[in-house]
Amino acid sequence: MLFRGQQGLLPLEKVVRAFQLFSAEIPDAPVRLWIGTDSQIHGGTTRVVTSITAYREHKGGQSYQYVQVLERALTLAEKLDVETHMSIEVIGKLRELLNQKLIYWELELHIDGGNNGMSRLHLPRVVGWAESMASVYQYAVRTKPDAIGASRVADRYAK
């Protein structure tokens, strides 16, 4: 799994290293990692982008994206399922790496759905799924309008 960002294509371990260097620029600014996935249909395919963003409140951020193209157009329910699955998969690998390196950063899983629009019909299912894994991987779950990692960052790269 390679992530595209400011330093080109990197494996997850090097993304963590890039975030460590980013964090060291302002050592007293706490870093939170947002993991979010968004997808867009392009003709008969679906572009799925999982973004990891290191965010320092009012002091900037840095992000890396993992991009996949699925060879069919997904329904809204399928898109939310795939997006949630990818975010949980990445957050699990990320938490494992952070634990190995004894790094503690807050993790947030951002779901690209909220109480408005058609996604609200599927939100209880995917939020329940994400929350069921939250204690295992130690993360908080956010939905729109607080799911910036999915609704703004990943969305930007999925288009």
Side-chain angles (χ1 to χ4, degrees), residues 63-80:
S63 71
Y64 287 82
Q65 290 71 40
Y66 173 68
V67 179
Q68 305 176 77
V69 177
L70 305 179
E71 294 302 319
R72 69 182 189 88
L74 301 178
T75 66
L76 177 60
E78 291 172 322
K79 285 171 58 175
L80 284 168

Side-chain angles (χ1 to χ4, degrees), residues 4-148:
R4 183 178 311 276
Q6 293 175 325
Q7 298 177 11
L9 285 173
L10 300 177
L12 189 56
E13 187 166 314
K14 293 202 176 184
V15 170
V16 169
R17 181 67 187 134
F19 288 160
Q20 285 178 292
L21 295 172
F22 173 74
S23 175
E25 292 172 6
I26 307 175
D28 61 330
V31 171
R32 289 188 318 220
L33 299 186
W34 300 337
I35 296 82
T37 304
D38 192 31
S39 58
Q40 299 286 329
I41 295 172
H42 297 274
T45 65
T46 305
R47 183 177 170 93
V48 181
V49 177
T50 302
S51 180
I52 305 173
T53 303
Y55 177 70
R56 298 180 303 216
E57 187 116 13
H58 305 296
K59 297 186 186 330
Q62 191 177 89
S63 71
Y64 287 82
Q65 290 71 40
Y66 173 68
V67 179
Q68 305 176 77
V69 177
L70 305 179
E71 294 302 319
R72 69 182 189 88
L74 301 178
T75 66
L76 177 60
E78 291 172 322
K79 285 171 58 175
L80 284 168
D81 287 346
V82 167
E83 291 169 11
T84 303
H85 167 78
M86 286 307 304
S87 291
I88 291 171
E89 181 179 332
V90 168
I91 215 166
K93 292 177 183 192
L94 184 58
R95 175 54 75 196
E96 184 179 335
L97 268 174
L98 295 175
N99 287 348
Q100 287 172 5
K101 295 179 176 295
L102 301 176
I103 299 171
Y104 183 77
W105 288 325
E106 281 185 50
L107 301 183
E108 295 181 6
L109 188 147
H110 290 196
I111 295 175
D112 189 26
N115 294 321
N116 300 322
M118 294 304 293
S119 66
R120 77 182 182 285
L121 303 174
H122 306 283
L123 205 57
R125 182 184 78 254
V126 295
V127 168
W129 177 16
E131 286 178 342
S132 74
M133 300 300 293
S135 63
V136 175
Y137 298 128
Q138 303 162 335
Y139 61 82
V141 177
R142 304 277 183 259
T143 59
K144 286 181 179 176
D146 301 319
I148 297 165

